Amino acid sequence: MSYVKEVMDTVIKRNPNEPEFHQAVKEVLSSLEPVIEKHPEYAEAGVLERMTEPERMIMFRVPWVDDKGKIMVNRGFRVQFNSAIGPYKGGLRFHPSVNLSIVKFLGFEQILKNSLTGLPIGGGKGGSDFDPKGKSDAEVMRFCQSFMTELSKYIGADIDVPAGDIGVGSREIGYLFGMYKRLKNSYEGVLTGKGLEYGGSLVRTEATGYGLVYFMDELIRANGKSFKGAKVVISGSGNVAIYAHQKVTELGGTVIAMSDSDGFIYDPKGVDLNTIKIVKEKERKRIKECTLNNKSTQYYEGCSNIWDIKCDIALPCATQNEIDENAAKKLVKNGCFAVGEGANMPCTIEAIDVFLKNGVLFGPAKAANAGGVATSALEMSQNSMRYSWSFEEVDLRLKNIMVNIYNKASQAAIEYGVSGNLVVGANIAGFIKVADAMVAQGIV
Ligand code: NDP
Ligand code: 2IT
């Protein structure tokens, strides 16, 4: 049996009931056979066995009291996956679906994504099965304070630096930062995505969505096409989706549909970004509300049918496994020529196969959505310097990073004989830096 296959079997055996983690590892390992052949030193140093086993996993009770005085208990997680190239870095997700499998798949992806940014950050991820939806600000604050009371024992500016993800935005980061500072009596860059008044970086809010579109623009233009005049479908209506919309529009595309977990809105004239921002960012309401003042906007119940809409470019920016084989086939049949993963692992392995076999230009998550964590790393640099760069400076750095990631992934694909396959290219380019660092540092 090949070394890669052996490692995959062990991962499945050792981590039963973790389908998302298996999926993420399988997608990466299936790209690495030729790398392992070319570099026997990686097998000799047990790099794959070590890289698929987190350095540390922390699970903890998060008790808090709701507004009615009822005692609530949630589960908290932080998976510190790999610190070969820098302190653990990755977001926190608050969503009822969060479990160990989800946190491990996200943490594993983060190792290679962070490596691709070219910046010194290792891989980690965390979160809780807490649902911020429908909670008051006071409840969210008490939850965050309880969560940080435990998490603060394991993180620090040079140890592990969490940030946002689904359900964790600037409000939650503020409460988490305030509690960390109080507990540790230390003002440090221990979280990213902070408010601009207390150490946040300009462009971090926009970074993942902007970065996704910068990356896809590079890929699309290299293939003689453009966002200009393109009809674009974006799933989700959270942080990533909103700023992807903004950049697509700036580049001359029209975003004709967006969604939340209840349903989607469709507007052939273009979904109005300001309305989305007010309803989702400010009022924290459902996307359905976006039809109220816009006559041309239609609402449809159920989020998965968004992929039935005919479009040129699809940007899944909601959650994992939102595009399956059938949805992928529909997109191809309707003439979609490019797909960019803003969310983490939004396409199943079968869906990716459909896209690659049909020549769809495909931007895989760990390359295409790396702009968020890259800008987080820029926030860490600014915190260390006790200085802040202008919007234009951070935006330019972000753009350069996304272009570099595109170049690295496409070069690696060419080098390994699969020109144009950015899934394989990104996996290989991200892997080699971490693997070399692990070999150099000995068996730890
Ligand atoms: P937000 O919480 O801001 O928004 C999430 C959006 O996705 C909401 O519209 C939400 O709808 C929808 N959504 C969430 N879960 C589901 C579900 N199970 N089914 C359907 N829709 C769902 O999160 P972000 O925008 O930050 O994150 C979106 C994706 O991007 C995630 O995969 C995340 O891991 C990834 N990502 C985020 C980065 C960041 O910097 N924030 C960086 C890189 C990747 P509803 O309101 O109904 O819940
Ligand atoms: O998936 C991701 O890359 C993020 N949620 C952002 C992580 C970060 O540390 O900014």
Side-chain angles (χ1 to χ4, degrees), residues 89-91 110 113 125 163-165 192 204 344 372-373 376:
K89 181 83 197 86
Q110 202 82 45
K113 182 197 304 193
K125 199 86 188 190
D165 194 80
T192 59
R204 178 61 189 90
N344 285 307
V373 76
S376 278

Side-chain angles (χ1 to χ4, degrees), residues 23-62:
Q23 182 183 339
V25 173
K26 189 172 164 200
E27 194 248 277
V28 169
L29 292 191
S30 63
S31 303
L32 295 181
E33 289 274 9
V35 184
I36 299 298
E37 243 167 63
K38 203 165 160 185
H39 295 273
E41 70 273 19
Y42 295 154
E44 279 156 27
V47 166
L48 293 184
E49 296 91 316
R50 289 191 285 141
M51 203 183 280
T52 51
E53 181 67 18
E55 289 176 19
R56 191 174 298 105
M57 293 189 269
I58 302 139
M59 286 170 68
F60 50 94
R61 179 170 71 204
V62 189

Side-chain angles (χ1 to χ4, degrees), residues 91-94 127 132 163-173 176 239:
L92 296 171
R93 177 177 291 191
F94 292 171
D165 194 80
I166 291 176
V168 178
S170 58
R171 174 183 60 173
E172 290 73 18
I173 295 292
L176 291 164
N239 174 264

Side-chain angles (χ1 to χ4, degrees), residues 57-64 72-80 92-94 98 100 103 125-130 143-155 160 162 176:
M57 293 189 269
I58 302 139
M59 286 170 68
F60 50 94
R61 179 170 71 204
V62 189
W64 57 284
M72 311 294 281
V73 176
N74 286 98
R75 183 172 290 175
F77 301 86
R78 186 72 184 167
V79 173
Q80 299 181 328
L92 296 171
R93 177 177 291 191
F94 292 171
V98 167
L100 193 57
V103 180
K125 199 86 188 190
S128 174
D129 57 2
F130 173 74
F143 172 81
C144 287
Q145 292 180 338
S146 179
F147 184 85
M148 185 51 90
T149 301
E150 188 62 23
L151 187 68
S152 62
K153 298 170 188 167
Y154 308 100
I155 62 176
D160 182 356
L176 291 164

Side-chain angles (χ1 to χ4, degrees), residues 29-234:
L29 292 191
S30 63
S31 303
L32 295 181
E33 289 274 9
V35 184
I36 299 298
E37 243 167 63
K38 203 165 160 185
H39 295 273
E41 70 273 19
Y42 295 154
E44 279 156 27
V47 166
L48 293 184
E49 296 91 316
R50 289 191 285 141
M51 203 183 280
T52 51
E53 181 67 18
E55 289 176 19
R56 191 174 298 105
M57 293 189 269
I58 302 139
M59 286 170 68
F60 50 94
R61 179 170 71 204
V62 189
W64 57 284
V65 182
D66 78 5
D67 286 346
K68 294 189 190 108
K70 186 166 182 251
I71 292 159
M72 311 294 281
V73 176
N74 286 98
R75 183 172 290 175
F77 301 86
R78 186 72 184 167
V79 173
Q80 299 181 328
F81 225 117
N82 192 296
S83 62
I85 63 169
Y88 310 107
K89 181 83 197 86
L92 296 171
R93 177 177 291 191
F94 292 171
H95 192 272
S97 63
V98 167
N99 57 36
L100 193 57
S101 174
I102 300 278
V103 180
K104 281 168 72 179
F105 113 65
L106 290 163
F108 181 72
E109 291 266 300
Q110 202 82 45
I111 304 169
L112 303 185
K113 182 197 304 193
N114 293 3
S115 162
L116 280 170
T117 66
L119 300 167
I121 39 179
K125 199 86 188 190
S128 174
D129 57 2
F130 173 74
D131 187 359
K133 239 177 262 159
K135 304 288 192 297
S136 68
D137 286 353
E139 287 176 324
V140 170
M141 181 181 76
R142 288 196 294 275
F143 172 81
C144 287
Q145 292 180 338
S146 179
F147 184 85
M148 185 51 90
T149 301
E150 188 62 23
L151 187 68
S152 62
K153 298 170 188 167
Y154 308 100
I155 62 176
D158 294 317
I159 302 168
D160 182 356
V161 182
D165 194 80
I166 291 176
V168 178
S170 58
R171 174 183 60 173
E172 290 73 18
I173 295 292
Y175 295 147
L176 291 164
F177 182 79
M179 195 62 184
Y180 181 88
K181 181 168 63 71
R182 184 182 190 193
L183 289 164
K184 295 284 185 123
N185 197 21
S186 169
Y187 205 106
E188 52 177 297
V190 66
L191 291 154
T192 59
K194 299 185 291 299
L196 299 178
E197 311 77 18
Y198 62 95
S201 173
L202 287 159
V203 195
R204 178 61 189 90
T205 304
E206 296 85 354
T208 311
Y210 278 21
L212 168 68
V213 179
Y214 292 149
F215 181 93
M216 291 307 291
D217 189 44
E218 206 58 28
L219 166 61
I220 288 169
R221 283 191 299 108
N223 288 275
K225 299 206 151 107
S226 156
F227 267 103
K228 207 170 170 60
K231 292 199 184 319
V232 182
V233 168
I234 300 181

